Amino acid sequence: MNRHIFVLVLLSTLLAAGCASQKTDVMKKKGIGLKVSKLPSAHSPLIAFRILFGSGTINEPAGKEGIAAITASVMAQGGTGEMSYNDVVQALYPMAANIGQQINKEVTVFTGNVHVDHLEEFYDIFSNLILNPRWDESDFKRIVDQHSNYIKNTLRSNDDENLGKAALNLFMYEGHPYVRRGPGTVKSLEALTIEDLKAYAAANYTQDNLVIGIAGGYPDGFIDRIRADFSVLAKDAPAVVDLPEPNPISGIEVMIVKKPNDGAAISIGAPIAVTRSDKDFYALMIANSYLGEHRTFNGKLMNHMREDRGLNYGDYSYIENFVQDGGSTFPVPNIPRRQQFFSIWIRPVAHENALFSLKQAVRELDMLVTDGISEEDFETTRKYLLNYSKLWVQTASRRLGYVMDSDWYGTEYFIDKIEKELALLTREDVNAAVKKYLQSKNLKVAIVTEEAEKVRDLLLSGEKTPIVYQAGNTPQELLDEDKFIESYDLGINADALKIVEAEDLFEG
Amino acid sequence: MGNSKSFTRALLVMLTISIFLFTGEIRGEEKIFQYPITTGTLANGLNVVSVEFDSPGLIAFYTIVRTGSRNEIEPGKSGFAHFFEHMMFRGTDKYSSEDYNNVLKAVGADHNAFTSDDITAYHSLSSSGALEAIIQIESDRFQNLKYDEEDFKKEAGAVLGEYRKSITSPFLPLIEKLRDTAYETHTYKHTTIGFLADIEDMPNQYEHSLFFFDTYYRPENCTILVVGDVDHSNLMALAEKYYGNWERGPGQPEIPQEGAQTEEKRAHLTWENPTLPIMAIGYHGPPFSDTEIDMPALDLLSQLAFSQSSPLYRKLVIEEQLVDFVQGSAFDRRDATMFTIFTRVKDPANVEMVEQEIYKAIEETKTVLADEERLNSIKSHLKYSFAMGLNSPKSVAGTLGHYIGLTGDPETVNRLYKLYDSVTAEDIRNAANKYFSVENRTVVTLSNDGGE
């Protein structure tokens, strides 16, 4: 069998438009056609599919929050015209093949992975799930129940870290299309019907809104077959959803989410007008890695908060939306956005140290903005990222995703782009980008805590919030710095400060 | 629908399914693990294993310590192996924690560690050119770890933070309760992260940490595993150079084994936050073995009775939609493990009915022989799951490291899958009858409605 190493088929590219501040021309290309790239790893018997539609939660009709996720899930975790969901499960089982779906703000991706021994049988099922879904009432009920229960019994009650992130998104994007998240709301899910799903699929899962990605050892002619099969979809893409500028933030705006818990989960963020398609993004990558590279000990946040003070398990920062891929330290591909945001994630801290931690994180950001990065830190961080970024694409499926994302952003292959751009940067470039895009004075903060009123009162009073060490004699140097941190003036916007009950979030 | 026995799954880590270097059909008579494994042992007992994998310029470097929460035999010391994993990043005289991290940062490595019931693993992924630099810093900390009491106490805060993030989910207390109730003697009585009271007391255990390092972080208890673009003779030379002077340890304390359970145990937890009722049903089972048939038979039984392809799943999840998930399996463990069924019930009124449905499915495994077609389908699933899970040097190292952790021998993986091939319907029925008795059962339920 002649095995192609890697092929990305673009039946068309995404139509997208952005706000004036975004360089979105690159996202409006049409008809690139067949594109072939090669991976250095030969003899792959695995086939990875990524079927991407350029619609996500921002394309949901008013009052139909959650429909993007429910539609994709009922298709991917349901049946075909000929096969019930159970038939699909039974057929895939001996192959150990898997089918999944991933929904984000701007795109929806159907993923499939199969060993080449089963390609024909698998593709027949996989393609039919998308092209000829069963729309079974029983599948619909099962999926809606899953999503509704996730909101009511997991997100709002038993997953404080993700609740903090979800609350930050809600707070940061009030009145903006990005306010919508995958699961929807309890009430909107209750109102959905199968007919709604069919209408959403018909409007959004179209040829002009489609990118087909495939990687691995598939036979000659397979691409032509996929192209022919998917040409049964309607042609025209849905209208582009315009993105307004996110609401300006005035001071430190805090949303306190009240629920019983053993520690406070904190998320901090602010929209930034920079994406992978901008040159400055690559300068910010260095600054961000220096401040808080995800799940490493490289960042100042991690070292000063966890390592020096034992405040919590981890503290990281991001310059774009980040969703961890399983148990790895790398982000999932195919979650592109025309507008991005900067964020800091403080993993749960003891209630008594919640505000000290918040102050320390904001102060670390402030020091980065004010002082910039030193020449030595610039060089070591740049070198690190040049090597580290190569690890993000170890598998064909991940590399395929990154190639597709690069096309979405209108750049060359992202990993190559990092290498090229980082080589050209200077410390001054990085510090200039930090000054241009990052700041510590106007931020949204979500705090998930059972001590809501106490946190509110402390924030409003401006009182010192000293750290309480679990044990031990802390070096004087740290104690001296603690004095600055406990009194750090956050600049709280009292008018914007609010307490919400967790059980009221994502209700209607 | 992955292999529930996989290393990463056992650690609650989802692998991205990907490639497997493969030269023909998967057949029982062939070795399941088809990459070349080369092994060596230093005079001090340190095992060195390398696997050539087609990842030009990349290597995964694992140090597997065959010590985990299983070894926490002293009262009040639960969670210590995991805590000690944290301490291993606190530096030496030669390389402070900052120096250590700077070396890894300079080569752009992705590095971390994890602890389980049976092992502690330290792993990195980096360019193959960084091999010596990594061996240099790893060998140094494994022989010369040094931290003061203040560092030790600070790290206790990070571990408490880790517990704090995990305890927001009801599954941690559920599993804590299940193990605490089911086990009387064995250290599997506690989870890897340990009991909260013990974690809170960790800052006071500095002296015990010195004993722990001295006892368990010894060459005869460790394996160096390198997967990817690696030359074994070069690896052995570097291992000899940097680990050669590492001294053997004083020996390890015995781990008290669990006696037979003689009556059913039940417990209930009331959860403060909203949750659907969750149930865990556990049966004491066998230890992992690559020679005995019981565990492989139970692995096939778990697929037969509790996988997505099972009649129980079809009934409870797809057709009647009484639960949003149901799963059952026994994790590989060095000592007698538990076969555990977990389910989450959508309506509290149906908890008892769901429990009875699970027992019906179990009774069926004790009385009805699985047909040949179904067995073949399960065996195919296990093999293709395995094949598709080996997608990178890291996943290969993780998988092989799992079996090295269990037996010390990388060939275990091939022996196990050969056993899978040989499992018969009678073997499954025998295992079901041997382990799935009422008196061997522990049931824990969790809900926020005030109990059963």
Side-chain angles (χ1 to χ4, degrees):
Chain A
M1 182 186 289
N2 178 19
R3 288 178 176 166
H4 296 278
I5 303 305
F6 179 94
V7 172
L8 171 67
V9 184
L10 294 131
L11 292 186
S12 70
T13 51
L14 302 180
L15 284 172
C19 55
S21 65
Q22 301 294 301
K23 297 177 183 174
T24 54
D25 290 351
V26 294
M27 303 169 190
K28 294 181 182 176
K29 292 177 300 181
K30 285 185 180 180
I32 287 176
L34 188 72
K35 177 175 176 174
V36 181
S37 304
K38 289 189 177 181
L39 283 174
S41 178
H43 311 300
S44 167
L46 186 94
I47 318 292
F49 293 89
R50 287 181 175 270
I51 309 293
L52 184 150
F53 290 100
S55 291
T57 55
I58 65 170
N59 299 84
E60 294 171 333
K64 307 284 185 193
E65 291 89 346
I67 193 170
I70 299 293
T71 303
S73 301
V74 169
M75 290 165 70
Q77 308 303 320
T80 69
E82 296 75 34
M83 301 172 80
S84 70
Y85 174 58
N86 187 60
D87 293 338
V88 171
V89 167
Q90 299 297 338
L92 295 180
Y93 179 75
M95 314 176 198
N98 62 70
I99 291 169
Q101 72 290 334
Q102 181 179 290
I103 298 90
N104 211 261
K105 306 287 189 208
E106 309 234 26
V107 304
T108 297
V109 187
F110 295 93
T111 59
N113 294 282
V114 66
H115 194 281
V116 69
D117 289 358
H118 307 295
L119 176 59
E120 284 295 326
E121 194 182 351
F122 173 83
Y123 174 72
D124 188 51
I125 295 169
F126 182 59
S127 58
N128 269 298
L129 287 173
I130 300 167
L131 301 174
N132 183 26
R134 192 174 188 83
W135 300 124
D136 189 295
E137 278 288 350
S138 174
D139 294 335
F140 173 66
K141 179 182 181 300
R142 174 171 49 85
I143 299 295
V144 168
D145 275 0
Q146 276 176 6
H147 283 71
S148 183
N149 279 323
Y150 169 73
I151 296 168
K152 290 187 287 192
N153 295 301
T154 298
L155 182 65
R156 294 198 300 210
S157 51
N158 301 314
D159 187 359
D160 292 1
E161 292 187 329
N162 280 316
L163 179 60
K165 292 177 183 181
L168 176 66
N169 182 83
L170 203 62
F171 198 31
M172 202 163 50
Y173 288 112
E174 284 172 324
H176 187 283
Y178 279 2
V179 78
R180 295 184 169 210
R181 300 175 56 259
T185 69
V186 174
K187 291 283 188 294
S188 68
L189 292 177
E190 284 172 0
L192 288 179
T193 66
I194 289 264
E195 292 308 311
D196 291 334
L197 272 55
K198 290 179 182 175
Y200 179 86
N204 290 282
Y205 298 163
T206 65
Q207 290 186 61
D208 286 351
N209 207 25
L210 169 65
V211 181
I212 293 180
I214 179 169
Y218 49 87
D220 285 336
F222 198 70
I223 296 298
D224 294 336
R225 180 174 154 194
I226 298 175
R227 191 194 300 275
D229 288 345
F230 278 78
S231 67
V232 302
L233 291 170
K235 186 95 177 64
D236 294 340
V240 172
V241 176
D242 287 329
L243 296 179
E245 294 284 0
N247 294 331
I249 304 170
S250 177
I252 302 297
E253 302 184 14
V254 182
M255 174 197 274
I256 303 168
V257 180
K258 187 178 180 183
K259 71 174 286 287
N261 61 10
D262 291 332
I266 304 173
S267 286
I268 306 167
I272 50 173
V274 60
T275 71
R276 292 181 194 180
S277 59
D278 298 286
K279 203 172 176 62
D280 281 340
F281 181 89
Y282 301 88
L284 283 182
M285 277 184 80
I286 293 177
N288 182 67
S289 184
Y290 165 80
L291 179 66
E293 183 75 44
H294 180 71
R295 297 198 64 198
T296 72
F297 283 92
N298 297 344
K300 293 294 172 194
L301 293 168
M302 187 75 162
N303 279 293
H304 294 165
M305 295 176 71
R306 168 178 159 165
E307 199 74 348
D308 292 348
R309 293 174 171 81
L311 280 166
N312 63 351
Y313 183 59
D315 309 279
Y316 328 112
S317 63
Y318 310 90
I319 53 169
E320 63 178 355
N321 185 37
F322 186 104
V323 178
Q324 183 175 287
D325 191 354
S328 78
T329 48
F330 312 131
V332 296
N334 295 157
I335 52 170
R337 293 187 184 192
R338 282 174 280 159
Q339 295 179 2
Q340 288 290 1
F341 65 102
F342 169 81
S343 65
I344 292 174
W345 179 25
I346 301 172
R347 305 190 80 163
V349 292
H351 290 299
E352 59 205 358
N353 288 327
L355 293 186
F356 181 91
S357 301
L358 173 62
K359 288 175 180 179
Q360 186 172 15
V362 175
R363 182 171 175 265
E364 290 289 347
L365 172 60
D366 186 51
M367 288 192 292
L368 172 64
V369 173
T370 304
D371 305 333
I373 185 171
S374 71
E375 187 63 37
E376 184 186 1
D377 285 326
F378 162 74
E379 284 296 352
T380 56
T381 308
R382 170 164 67 172
K383 186 179 176 189
Y384 165 75
L385 282 174
L386 282 169
N387 288 312
Y388 188 61
S389 58
K390 304 287 191 294
L391 307 181
W392 301 348
V393 286
Q394 293 169 70
T395 67
S397 180
R398 285 188 56 85
R399 183 159 184 174
L400 174 63
Y402 272 79
V403 168
M404 295 168 85
D405 286 343
S406 303
D407 286 316
W408 198 91
Y409 282 109
T411 68
E412 64 186 292
Y413 178 50
F414 184 49
I415 307 303
D416 292 345
K417 176 85 170 163
I418 289 170
E419 185 167 31
K420 186 184 287 184
E421 293 292 343
L422 261 53
L424 300 173
L425 287 169
T426 65
R427 173 197 173 203
E428 289 71 27
D429 294 331
V430 172
N431 289 337
V434 167
K435 292 269 189 213
K436 184 175 177 183
Y437 294 104
L438 303 185
Q439 46 77 33
S440 61
K441 305 305 179 193
N442 302 299
L443 301 166
K444 295 269 190 177
V445 179
I447 306 175
V448 181
T449 176
E450 65 182 11
E451 297 188 347
E453 291 80 9
K454 185 177 176 184
V455 166
R456 177 197 60 201
D457 294 344
L458 281 169
L459 285 171
L460 291 175
S461 71
E463 282 179 52
K464 291 178 185 176
T465 52
I467 184 173
V468 178
Y469 285 105
Q470 189 190 0
N473 297 316
T474 304
Q476 191 58 45
E477 184 187 345
L478 287 185
L479 293 174
D480 292 344
E481 190 184 29
D482 289 349
K483 295 293 176 198
F484 285 101
I485 297 169
E486 69 188 31
S487 304
Y488 184 78
D489 182 11
L490 284 168
I492 295 293
N493 180 334
D495 295 334
L497 197 156
K498 58 182 172 182
I499 295 175
V500 297
E501 298 285 341
E503 63 196 28
D504 294 334
L505 290 176
F506 315 112
E507 182 65 21
Chain B
M1 293 192 291
N3 175 6
S4 67
K5 304 296 290 189
S6 77
F7 180 46
T8 46
R9 181 79 173 271
L11 296 160
L12 303 179
V13 173
M14 292 293 290
L15 270 180
T16 306
I17 302 294
S18 194
I19 62 172
F20 180 59
L21 191 63
F22 182 59
T23 54
E25 287 185 11
I26 297 179
R27 294 194 298 272
E29 64 271 26
E30 292 177 344
K31 285 187 173 183
I32 188 88
F33 193 86
Q34 300 199 346
Y35 305 104
I37 302 172
T38 316
T39 62
T41 307
L42 301 190
N44 59 14
L46 178 71
N47 288 319
V48 181
V49 179
S50 69
V51 178
E52 288 177 45
F53 180 86
D54 184 20
S55 58
L58 275 184
I59 52 164
F61 186 99
Y62 271 63
T63 305
I64 299 144
V65 185
R66 296 186 70 209
T67 290
S69 50
R70 167 180 176 267
N71 299 86
E72 295 154 0
I73 55 174
E74 303 85 356
K77 302 294 191 294
S78 73
F80 211 86
H82 169 248
F83 183 28
F84 200 81
E85 172 219 310
H86 281 241
M87 293 315 301
M88 283 293 290
F89 291 86
R90 282 288 177 171
T92 67
D93 280 338
K94 194 172 178 182
Y95 296 98
S96 67
S97 59
E98 192 177 359
D99 295 335
Y100 173 86
N101 198 61
N102 286 343
V103 171
L104 290 164
K105 186 173 177 177
V107 298
D110 173 36
H111 70 105
N112 214 319
F114 62 81
T115 309
S116 69
D117 286 345
D118 293 339
I119 68 166
T120 310
Y122 300 84
H123 54 90
S124 69
L125 180 70
S126 69
S127 67
S128 50
L131 178 64
E132 183 161 8
I134 287 170
I135 286 181
Q136 237 173 325
I137 57 171
E138 292 300 86
S139 62
D140 180 53
R141 68 172 173 158
F142 273 79
Q143 293 169 82
N144 307 308
L145 182 69
K146 193 172 181 185
Y147 50 82
D148 61 24
E149 196 159 358
E150 297 317 314
D151 278 346
F152 181 81
K153 289 175 176 178
K154 282 289 178 298
E155 197 59 43
V159 176
L160 189 57
E162 192 170 354
Y163 186 89
R164 202 176 279 123
K165 80 175 176 62
S166 303
I167 200 66
T168 63
S169 162
F171 284 94
L172 175 58
L174 180 81
I175 295 165
E176 276 183 350
K177 191 69 178 178
L178 175 71
R179 291 169 69 154
D180 193 21
T181 306
Y183 286 96
E184 300 290 341
T185 309
H186 194 276
T187 43
Y188 292 160
K189 186 175 178 67
H190 55 258
T191 62
T192 297
I193 201 164
F195 294 123
L196 178 59
D198 295 348
I199 297 169
E200 287 173 333
D201 189 51
M202 278 175 181
N204 305 317
Q205 301 298 334
Y206 177 72
E207 286 304 320
H208 185 68
S209 77
L210 303 180
F211 160 82
F212 196 88
F213 182 62
D214 187 59
T215 304
Y216 298 110
Y217 280 67
R218 293 293 188 170
E220 72 276 15
N221 198 37
C222 295
T223 297
I224 305 300
L225 169 63
V226 184
V227 176
D229 192 355
V230 59
D231 172 74
H232 188 77
S233 57
N234 181 45
L235 175 63
M236 284 302 292
L238 290 170
E240 184 61 55
K241 178 179 175 182
Y242 290 102
Y243 291 99
N245 294 328
W246 193 5
E247 293 179 10
R248 283 177 180 266
Q252 298 180 14
E254 285 285 310
I255 294 163
Q257 295 300 302
E258 187 74 12
Q261 185 172 318
T262 55
E263 60 180 3
E264 185 189 36
K265 300 176 180 178
R266 296 187 75 93
H268 180 79
L269 288 170
T270 300
W271 189 242
E272 189 175 15
N273 282 305
T275 181
L276 295 176
I278 310 171
M279 187 189 312
I281 301 168
Y283 296 87
H284 289 282
F288 176 84
S289 170
D290 59 7
T291 56
E292 303 297 320
I293 204 70
D294 280 14
M295 182 59 94
L298 285 176
D299 288 346
L300 266 72
L301 185 150
S302 81
Q303 295 291 323
L304 180 72
F306 299 105
S307 70
Q308 284 192 307
S309 68
S310 68
L312 182 74
Y313 184 92
R314 179 177 178 173
K315 180 173 185 172
L316 295 184
V317 177
I318 299 176
E319 290 174 352
E320 297 183 15
Q321 303 190 16
L322 299 175
V323 307
D324 67 353
F325 78 88
V326 60
Q327 60 187 54
S329 65
F331 286 133
D332 297 334
R333 293 292 181 268
R334 287 179 67 177
D335 295 327
T337 186
M338 289 194 84
F339 189 105
T340 310
I341 299 119
F342 291 100
T343 190
R344 186 161 53 190
V345 185
K346 289 161 111 174
D347 181 346
N350 293 330
V351 170
E352 195 177 330
M353 187 208 307
V354 167
E355 184 177 355
Q356 294 307 316
E357 289 294 334
I358 289 168
Y359 296 151
K360 274 189 217 168
I362 285 172
E363 285 307 308
E364 191 166 323
T365 65
K366 292 160 78 170
T367 53
V368 180
L369 288 173
D371 68 55
E372 202 60 31
E373 188 183 351
R374 183 93 168 95
L375 271 189
N376 289 338
S377 174
I378 290 168
K379 290 176 181 181
S380 170
H381 174 84
L382 290 175
K383 287 173 185 172
Y384 277 103
S385 292
F386 182 87
M388 292 175 66
L390 302 180
N391 64 331
S392 66
K394 192 170 179 178
S395 63
V396 171
T399 300
L400 204 58
H402 171 59
Y403 295 107
I404 290 170
L406 288 165
T407 67
D409 183 0
E411 280 298 327
T412 284
V413 64
N414 290 316
R415 285 195 288 271
L416 175 67
Y417 276 81
K418 204 167 178 184
L419 276 180
Y420 283 153
D421 269 336
S422 72
V423 170
T424 64
E426 287 79 9
D427 291 330
I428 294 172
R429 188 175 61 182
N430 292 343
N433 281 286
K434 187 171 178 180
Y435 297 105
F436 292 152
S437 63
V438 175
E439 59 271 20
N440 192 33
R441 184 166 75 201
T442 302
V443 182
V444 178
T445 50
L446 179 149
S447 64
N448 69 342
D449 60 357
E452 292 178 303

